[in-house]
Amino acid sequence: MKTEILRCDSANALEFAVARAVELLRAGETVALPTETVYGLAADALNADAALKIFEAKERPRFDPLIVHLPNREMLARVASVDAVNSKLMSALVDRFWPGPLTLVLPRTPAVPDVVTAGLDTVAVRVSAHPVFSRIAAAFGSPLAAPSANRFGRISPTSAEHVRRELEGRIPLVIDAGPTQHGIESTIVAARNGSLELLRPGPITGEQLRAFADVCIGEAQSRPQAPGQLPSHYAPRTPLVLGSPLLSSENQAQRIGALSWRGTDSRGFAEIRVLSPSGDLREAAANLFRCLRELDDAKLDLIVAEHVPEGGLGSAIMDRLRRASSSDALDTPARSL
Ligand code: TXA
Ligand code: MG
């Protein structure tokens, strides 16, 4: 299959791209689209055959459910129902954070095909704030299933070029609207008797959610509800360890790359990528997956990723780094090599 890439760099180009994307989606095909978090691989969420093509292109196991993206919040009732206990909380979150990078896990309606929810009785939903995604979702007029547009287990794409490298030849179209804003995937929460279970940390932080309800952290390892919670996710091919970017002499023979938080003390590395010289967590999140891909391409023996400060977005970044890390000591404090 030839993969077409359409850029949205003029008003005419945008019109053309929207029309072509909608045409393919209506025909039951997959299309890679920009969102404000990462690029997604979209298909008609209410068409089981179309959704199945997402799993095939990504080589995603069928047990891993997809996020359903609505064109607007009014469509929520078509795919999900909210029980009385949680309805006030869910409405408050929707009012505050939609459109935006918050995914809600809610009881599903029968309209959603089993393949989309992987047979679960819940469905994950959000409304994207990306202008191009919104245009396409509105023109399509129906929910779109869209996981991140990478092969299963790999780093999520934050540019159309990343998507091309992951899925070229497997999907008919990539819509290119430049790099994504947040750079990490949406926050996922489920309501549990009036409180919130954080299933995946993301751009909407635990602190922001705590203004609405008690928040508990999903039990990832013991009970993986979301395969995005599995430890070995978002992995570069090069081994990655968490540590402090100090080189000792016994490592000099190896080509070691550094993923540095602010760029201090990273002398002696074969390659260095700095997440945010000014120490801005938002900038760091936006750069994270691009920097990881660049280091992964640099023919290194090892990548050392420096800790970023925990709390707020820092926790979402550390979550991704821990999953990318090949060391078993996922939660050990910073150590130097
Ligand atoms: O920012 C994002 O969320 C991006 C963009 C494209 O919207 N999408 C994304 O999708 O990251 P994906 O499939 O890569 O990650 C979705 C996660 C998976 O870990 C999946 O297991 C979880 O959401 N998920 C989906 N439905 C679920 C459900 N009913 N209950 C619990 N987890 C669910
Ligand atoms: Mg993903």
Side-chain angles (χ1 to χ4, degrees), residues 19-290:
R20 180 78 183 123
V22 171
E23 178 185 35
L24 283 165
L25 292 167
R26 292 224 168 99
E29 292 298 332
T30 58
V31 179
L33 300 176
T35 84
E36 72 277 50
T37 56
V38 299
Y39 275 72
L41 183 61
D44 184 346
L46 305 185
N47 173 343
D49 291 339
L52 203 53
K53 290 184 184 165
I54 295 176
F55 288 86
E56 281 163 9
K58 282 183 53 107
E59 295 173 35
R60 183 178 177 108
R62 292 277 292 275
F63 62 73
D64 191 1
L66 307 177
I67 295 180
V68 172
H69 298 65
L70 307 174
N72 51 59
R73 60 178 289 181
E74 287 69 40
M75 215 168 271
L76 182 59
R78 251 170 87 181
V79 297
S81 58
V82 188
D83 51 65
V85 189
N86 296 309
S87 97
K88 242 183 156 172
L89 172 57
M90 289 295 119
S91 303
L93 292 176
V94 165
D95 286 344
R96 174 67 182 82
F97 296 115
W98 280 10
L102 181 68
T103 297
L104 302 174
V105 173
L106 296 167
R108 64 185 278 201
T109 66
V112 188
D114 278 342
V115 59
V116 170
T117 65
L120 296 176
D121 52 12
T122 54
V123 61
V125 273
R126 80 179 188 101
V127 176
S128 170
H130 193 287
V132 174
F133 191 100
S134 309
R135 280 280 312 270
I136 291 168
F140 183 65
S142 184
L144 289 169
S148 53
N150 50 281
R151 305 251 192 123
F152 181 71
R154 294 266 302 137
I155 303 165
S156 292
T158 57
S159 73
E161 172 60 15
H162 297 166
V163 179
R164 187 190 65 73
R165 287 179 46 192
E166 292 282 325
L167 298 175
E168 184 162 45
R170 296 164 166 252
I171 60 173
L173 178 63
V174 181
I175 303 294
D176 181 355
T180 61
Q181 179 198 342
H182 295 293
I184 53 173
E185 307 86 350
S186 63
T187 305
I188 306 182
V189 291
R192 304 258 181 262
N193 299 321
S195 64
L196 291 172
E197 184 175 5
L198 184 61
L199 298 175
R200 181 173 69 184
I204 306 297
T205 63
E207 288 82 348
Q208 284 176 288
L209 295 169
R210 258 173 222 118
F212 292 83
D214 289 339
V215 179
C216 64
I217 308 297
E219 294 281 316
Q221 261 100 335
S222 58
R223 195 166 46 90
Q225 292 206 349
Q229 297 177 323
L230 294 173
S232 69
H233 221 73
Y234 314 104
R237 296 194 169 94
T238 313
L240 180 145
V241 294
L242 283 168
S244 88
L246 294 170
L247 274 187
S248 67
S249 51
E250 66 261 35
N251 298 119
Q252 300 291 329
Q254 284 187 302
R255 273 178 59 79
I256 301 180
L259 181 65
S260 171
W261 159 223
R262 300 189 59 171
T264 47
D265 279 336
S266 35
R267 283 156 295 166
F269 283 91
E271 287 283 337
I272 299 164
R273 290 294 178 281
V274 180
L275 290 176
S276 173
S278 64
D280 175 352
L281 286 167
R282 274 190 299 183
E283 181 184 37
N287 286 331
L288 176 66
F289 289 150
R290 176 183 52 79

